[in-house]
Amino acid sequence: TDWSKHWDTSRPVLLEKSPPNLLKTRFLQTLFPDAYFLIITRHPVPTSYATLKWSKTSVDSLLRHWVHCHRIFCQDAPHLERCLVLKYEDFVTDPQAHLDRICDFVGIAGFKPRINVKTDVNRAYFERWRSDRASMTIGRKLKAFFRYRMIDREIRPLGYRLFRL
């Protein structure tokens, strides 16, 4: 395959982690019927701000894109044979427990992380979100409130909220 030049195919587990694969899980399952899907979601605000630097679009557009992509995944997920969904925010609070859970899911021996996992990476993005909203005029705040309320309804089933961050 195209990936074989990047992978050590003698290894028992191969990993491909491209974010667009969130939208391709059913296709990938057809190509690789023995595949396991580990989906790590991250709050849409930090995801959007982290993407902003290279996307050349707005935070609002990126929030809507996050919702759209996760809506598609939620429709596809029931059709996947082996899928584990994990929140990034949960992982960083207890990396070892979640690594153990992932290893158990995939059927491999557990291991200790080799790096220290940073627990507060999202904080700066939430601060920027609050600052950006605070600097809006009253009219823009009102329009944004109605846009964000719709997004908030979409992300709540995934355990996230836009308000009271």
Side-chain angles (χ1 to χ4, degrees), residues 110-124:
F111 60 92
K112 301 283 183 209
R114 294 182 185 161
I115 60 169
N116 288 329
V117 176
K118 296 179 183 178
T119 61
D120 64 345
V121 173
N122 283 352
R123 183 180 337 156

Side-chain angles (χ1 to χ4, degrees), residues 15-64:
L15 173 70
E16 207 298 304
K17 63 170 194 68
S18 300
N21 286 341
L22 180 70
L23 304 176
K24 301 173 186 173
T25 53
R26 290 175 74 180
F27 170 72
L28 291 168
Q29 181 173 259
T30 301
L31 288 179
F32 305 101
D34 296 330
Y36 288 76
F37 295 92
L38 170 62
I39 306 300
I40 300 178
T41 63
R42 185 179 183 190
H43 194 288
V45 167
T47 301
S48 297
Y49 277 104
T51 306
L52 191 62
K53 60 187 158 229
W54 52 263
S55 70
K56 299 181 180 135
T57 188
S58 68
V59 171
D60 283 7
S61 173
L62 291 167
L63 286 169
R64 287 191 305 273

Side-chain angles (χ1 to χ4, degrees), residues 80-120:
L80 300 175
E81 301 268 333
R82 289 167 294 280
C83 182
L84 175 64
V85 178
L86 177 64
K87 288 171 62 176
Y88 165 85
E89 294 80 7
D90 292 340
F91 178 84
V92 299
T93 62
D94 191 352
Q96 188 62 61
H98 292 289
L99 278 174
D100 292 345
R101 183 175 170 210
I102 292 165
C103 290
D104 185 54
F105 167 67
V106 193
I108 62 173
F111 60 92
K112 301 283 183 209
R114 294 182 185 161
I115 60 169
N116 288 329
V117 176
K118 296 179 183 178
T119 61
D120 64 345

Side-chain angles (χ1 to χ4, degrees), residues 148-157:
Y148 296 152
R149 190 173 68 174
M150 290 174 25
I151 291 171
D152 188 67
R153 284 186 196 138
E154 294 265 1
I155 68 173
R156 280 184 182 225

